[in-house]
Structures are given as structure tokens and as C-alpha cells.
Amino acid sequence: MPETNHEITLDSALGEEAVLATYRRMFAALARDSGAVVDDPVLVDIAETLFAAFAEAGEEWLTHEQMRHVCRAYSPDMFENRLRVLKGLGAIREVFPKPNQLRYRASFTSVVGLMFIRRMMDDGGQSEMHRLLALEDLNVADPRTTMEEARASAQNLARAFRLWALELVTLTGGTIEELREQAPKLWGTEEIARRAQNLHGTILNRWPDLDRTCTELRSAIYAYSDASRRAAGRLADSAGTTRNLTLLPAETWRTFAQTASKERLAAVLDGFVFDAPAPWHDPAAIVRAVDESPRPAPVQPTPPRSALPDPGPADSYDAASDGLDRLASVAEGALGTRTSARLEELLTADGEWVSARRLLADLVSIDLRPESPYRLRWSDGLTAGPGAEPAWLSHGVLERTDREA
Amino acid sequence: MTPVSEVTPVSEVRPASEVTTELAHVRARAAGPLALEADAPAPRGMIRLARGDGSGFALPAWPDGATPAVLEEYQVAPVQVERSGETRRVLAAALKCCWSDLTADPWPGAPAPVDDVLAAYRALIGRGDDLMRNWAVGALRRLHDSAWLVVGDGLVRLGPRCASWPAESHAQLRELVRRLPAPGAEAAGLDVLPTAGAAGTAASVTVPEAVDDDVLGPLDERRRAEVVAAFMAVEHAAEPVHEARFPALRDPALRRVLAELLQRRGRVLVPGREVWTSGYADDVAAEAGTAPGEAERAVLTLVLIHSVAIPRAEGVLPADSWSSPFPTQVEELRRHTMMPIGELEAALRALRHAGLLTQVKAGEEAGGYVPGPQFHRLTGRARRRLQEELILAAGPNTPLAAAVRAKRR
């Protein structure tokens, strides 16, 4: 499809060899070998990779090895083949023919050509057509333009529209998948048709003698508009219930969403009926909801506080308040006037385990308090009296040390 | 096509103001309970709720006294209720205040001040902070929007939908109201307030006898129950239901009976892949012409563009449906559209509540809205029309739009 347009814009000038060379360089990226066009997109990628490398290299140019290095992702055969073709068509040329150390440069025309081709691949030439129409518009308005130039321009445009329409007609009769993929690239918006008609009007006004050419142009524009509509109609009929949304570019959707007024947005859903909110609250569900109601945590009363002012935590640990007094009195009671007392006597004095146990606990406690002046000293003796209480009795001594608390 | 002819003699010319049964059912579903003029009969297959003055409401009646609660038996999720527990507790609090005479039916009850209902709710949940109050006010609004309550002028009344509780379940509600704590001492007295039914004749609820018996009659008990269950499922489940669960959807003969039940209500079966739901019949919907409010429609269109049209145009949304996994960010709606922010928030809430939008939460910031389960209910024709309307609106000058216009002409 893109080729058709190039012929139209260039073939009138193809007579001279210089133009032919430009033409060759332009299409070098697409050529498979010197005589035909590529059939594998990878081949174009290689050309693009090379051009990018040339752009980066600047005046250093590139050697064969360097070119091979940039294209290391591709197989050597493929690379060599591409390089040969590109050299053959003049897209890549020697900077200076010096044996053994050849450096190469890329042709500007080829790079531009490739950019152009990429764009054509993306939108099928719609934007090119816009540009072309804008240019022609300027041309025919220019006082220097001759009638012959205007005629050529109108004829070229008519041919472009005819070919475009033909392609659309062919697609419309083909498979739906192909149509879906290709048609949006080819069909013109009303904008293109309007521009073309404006141009047609300008030419006709300025050169009324060109009316035959203009009639041709007009009918070509109409044929093209009609073919666009047919292609769109077939797609609209065949597509499912949302697939046609694909056929508008995402940018169109975004623009609409961002710029449309509330009224315009709302109008889309005019006449659509939707359900009013009608959730069902079953009695059982209501009862369940009440029963499952999150209960607040029960209020916990704070403990009663003293009415007296609270001095806060004490600075130091006051051992005396911790029952040491009581333990001291127990120890004093056990010792009496003595400085030491035998433990087995103290423990058996009451003759029952309950009081002996309590006394022992107290005495052990006081022994463990380093600040107290009482110590227990255990000895190895052991009394076993089966009938007595306690029946087993370890011997030891409770004594008052010199240290005073 | 119109089953109405069975009850209306063909020769009888209907006044222009009268609407077909299907249309009445469609309007009741699309806009809530129908208001009836004084002494106007309820359309066929609808419950008539009469207020004291003779005017009233009409609510669709379900065959064989079924309610959407039947979905639970089939383990099919009903339409989701936003903050269901809270909403139902507020409804219970309103019942406590408005259902003054427990010997009568709950509807219409007596109006109660909003503050009383809030106090009853406070007593029910045992906390009284501001947050609780905001939640309760939100629940009141949702209950009002769905016609379970009527809130206005500082008063709460029981809404028409309260009359759709079957009589058998009233005992359960009565018992609940008895054991609920009273609103507390601060509640205002009710004696100064107007009472329903003061105008003479008492309010009444007339449930039509033997709804759809002419269609269901020939079926044996089991099939009849299957048809009714499938009817409730397609009409009230949140998502399309699988036919394996419902014999009446699998069996073509029973499905015909089901389609007949739906048709009388202006509805049709909408098939999916082995799943079914119901939607508005295209012709009746065109006649009904009701739609959400302008702001709601505008926001819904925006979500359809961002969640469906753009992903579709970018080729990342393969399935041919109006549901989408790509949420529309709220920020996008807020910043990059012509919608006023205040209207946007209210519209999002209303659309979410109606199941037209589903909120998707993903982390703290991300998340947004996707088209809700109601879009499953669009018939093929409605889906196609929605697509065309979007194309006409967004690309009016494209050949595609021209083709759409040409086809419609």
C-alpha cells in the first residue's frame, strides 16, 4: 500500500538518473536484494540499527567490524547480505576508497526514507495525505504556480484517491480480519475529504479551464469517501458488541473524555434503562445483623485513687517497708538473749510441722536478706525421728552477726 | 407478545395515561416503587400499597411468595448491599421507632424524628461518637435511595419496600423490635407528629393472589419451585447464574416458562456462556426511557471510556463484553474531566450503590472503578447500541460514525 503513493508523488520526475538514484537510496532499506523489496521486517530492522549507529559515530564513521558489532544480534549471513544491498543501492558508501581500512558513511536520503516508511507503516499514509493536501493547498494559492502545475497536482491527487478507494474496496470484499487490521489506516476522516474538496474548489476557481481534471478529482474524492463508509459499515456490522471501539484510536477516546461537557457525556447513555438500587433486606438478615452488632468493649472502671497528693514513684528502694521488721522480730524472738541458737531446737520447740514450717521459712528469708544481721549456718547433722514432728531435721545454727542494720 | 391482552378486552381503548403491565414493571425496577394515584388499581402482578388517602404505591409481586432470600439456598450471591450490617441495623432502629403498633403490619407505621432513629441506633450498638453518627446517616441515605425508608423533613418513615416482607416473617421482626433497646430518654415525643392514616381510611397492603398461576399452574410442584427459583436467581443475583445450578435454566421447556414469567415484566433472558441473567426487553426499555440522572450518566460514560474503550483500542482487552479489569482512577476523573468535583463524588456514590460501578481497591493509592455487574444485564442490542453511541459521541466525523448513522436511517 505505501508504494502506490511514492509512485504518484515521484514517478513524474523519474526521468532523470539523479532522481532515480534518490529513489533507489530511499528504498534501499526496503530492498531485499538490488532488485526486489524485503519480505522480512527484520531486514528493515538491520538497516535501522545501522543508521542509528552511523548517527552516533558522527565523523568517526564506521568500519566494517564496527558495523558487524552493532548488528551482532543478527546472524552474520543476514548482516552481510543487508550490507551488500545497502552498499549496492548507495545507502551506505565508502568515505574514502582506501584499501584495508575502509570507513563507511550513511546516506541522509535513506534515513529520511526509512522514517517516512515507518510512518507510512503506522498509519497507512493518512498523515502523509494530510501533509500533502496542506502542501498542495499552499502551492495552488501561490501566485507563481502555473496552470500546468495545478493540473499535475490535481491529477496526482485524483490518482491517489482512486488507488486508495480501490484498495479499500478490495479489503471490504476480503476477510473481516484483514479489513479490521487495514481499514482504519486507509479510510479517510471527513477532514481529509473536506480538505481535498477545498483544494478542488481553489483550483477550479483559479483555473476554470481545468474543469475536466477537477471533475475527475471530485469523483475520485467521492469514490474514496464512499469506499471508506462501506468499509466502516461492513466492520460495524460484523463486529461484536464492543469490538468496534478498537477502531477509534485511544487518543480520540482520551480527548473525548477530557474535553466533553457533562451534557455530551451524559447523552451517550440517553435512553438506557438500568436498575434502581434494590438490595433485599431479609428479616432474617436484619435479625442476624442486630445480633452480630459489634459490642463496644465493656467500660473498665479505673481503680480508686487516694485523695492524698501522689508524690510519684519513690527515688530509692526502701527495704524496711518490705517486712524486714517482722522477720527481724521473728529472729529476735528465736534468739532471745543469745547470739546464736541451734536450729533443731527452735524447730522442734512447738512440736508440730505447721509452726516449724513457718518459722523455717521466715528464718531462711531473713538469711537471704543481705542487709539483715541474722544468718543461718547449716551443718552436716541430720536427725531422723519417725514418730516426731518434723521427722527429718537438718542441723544448723541461727546467729546474730556483728553487723548492725 | 403482550400477555396483558388476557386481562384487558381487546376492544377496550386504554387512556393515554395508562401504561402496559410490562412498562409498569420496567418502571418499578428502573426507578423504584411506582406511585399510584388515588384509587388507581395496581398493575397486574404488583402489590398495591394504599395510604390513608387512597393513593399509594405499586411494588412487583414475586411468584409463590418467594423473596430474594431464596438465593441463599442456592448459594448464589444476591446484589451486594453496601455496608450491609450497618445498613440493616439502622433499618432495625427505624423499625423500632416507626413500627408503633406491633399488632398491625410494619408498613406504613408512624413517622419518627431522625434523631429518634439515631438514638435507637446508638442504643442498639452502644456507642455514640461522631463516626457512628456519620455511618448511620450514610445508611439512612442508602435506605432512602432504595425505598426501604423515606427520609425527609427531619422525619423517617418506613418505605414502600418494607411492605414486601412476607406476612410469615412479620413475627420474626416483631420479636426483634420487642427486644431492641428503646431510643432512650432524650428521644422526642411522638404525639405531636402527624400519623399516617389520620386522614380516615387505614392504610392497607393488597398482595395479588396467585401471581403467574396461569403459567405455573400446569407444572408439578418440583418444577414449579425450580422455575420460581430460577426466576428469582436471574432477576436478583448479582452476577449471571450458571445453568448447572438451576434445572429451569438447563431444560428448554422450563426455560420457556421462565421466559414467559420474565416477559410479563418487560424482561428477557440474557444468555452468556452457560450462564444466564435477565435484562430489559429492548422494546419496553425504549418505551420506558428512564435512565440515571445526568451527572451519573456522564460519570458512567467516563468509566466506560477509560475501563473499556481505551483498553480495547490499545488491544489489551480481548473479551467482547462491557466488564473490564482495568479500573478508572478516581484521580483521572477528578483532574482530567469537565465534571464538577462535588457532582462527581455524589454520582460515584449513587452508581456504586446501584451496582452500575464496582469499586476496585488495590493498595493505598491505586484502585478505582470498573463497570458494575449491571452491565451483564444489557441485551445484545443494548450492548451494540451502547457501542454505537460511544463512537458517535467520541468520533462523530469518522467513517465509522457515518456508517452507524447510515444504518440507523
Side-chain angles (χ1 to χ4, degrees), chain A residues 263-326:
Chain A
E263 292 73 24
R264 253 182 88 200
L265 288 168
V268 171
L269 290 172
D270 260 348
F272 279 90
V273 189
F274 291 106
D275 298 348
W280 173 248
H281 297 298
D282 199 59
I286 299 175
V287 171
R288 199 159 54 233
V290 169
D291 291 343
E292 286 169 1
S293 151
R295 298 280 159 208
V299 183
Q300 294 192 342
T302 38
R305 291 216 172 261
S306 162
L308 296 172
D310 185 359
D315 285 344
S316 61
Y317 172 63
D318 186 2
S321 64
D322 221 28
L324 193 60
D325 290 349
R326 191 187 64 80

Side-chain angles (χ1 to χ4, degrees), chain B residues 275-307:
Chain B
V275 294
W276 298 84
T277 185
S278 62
Y280 293 103
D282 295 311
D283 49 342
V284 191
E287 216 178 324
T290 35
E294 190 175 58
E296 279 92 2
R297 275 180 290 149
V299 173
L300 197 52
T301 303
L302 285 171
V303 173
L304 288 176
I305 289 175
H306 283 290
S307 292

Side-chain angles (χ1 to χ4, degrees), chain A residues 188 237 240-244 254 256 258 260 262 264-265 270 272 274-276 279-281 289 291 295-296, chain B residues 29 88-89 124-126 148 165 179 280 290-291 297 301 305 312 314 318 320 338 343 374 387 393 407:
Chain A
D237 289 343
T241 52
T242 60
R243 287 203 205 290
N244 277 346
R254 267 193 205 103
F256 175 63
Q258 293 180 359
K262 185 175 77 174
R264 253 182 88 200
L265 288 168
D270 260 348
F272 279 90
F274 291 106
D275 298 348
W280 173 248
H281 297 298
D291 291 343
R295 298 280 159 208
Chain B
R29 185 165 172 118
R88 286 175 180 151
R89 285 191 283 277
L124 166 61
I125 64 163
W148 283 94
W165 282 318
R179 71 186 165 89
Y280 293 103
T290 35
R297 275 180 290 149
T301 303
I305 289 175
R312 171 91 359 112
E314 287 170 347
D320 186 15
M338 298 286 131
E343 284 185 58
Q374 273 215 44
Q387 159 181 276
K407 210 172 69 181

Side-chain angles (χ1 to χ4, degrees), chain B residues 7 80 95 140 160 164 173 186 188 231 251 255 280 344 359 361:
Chain B
V7 283
Q80 213 190 347
L95 265 179
L140 278 177
S164 57
L173 289 171
E186 78 252 56
F231 171 81
D251 179 347
R255 207 191 301 141
Y280 293 103
L344 174 70
Q359 194 164 18
K361 288 197 176 123

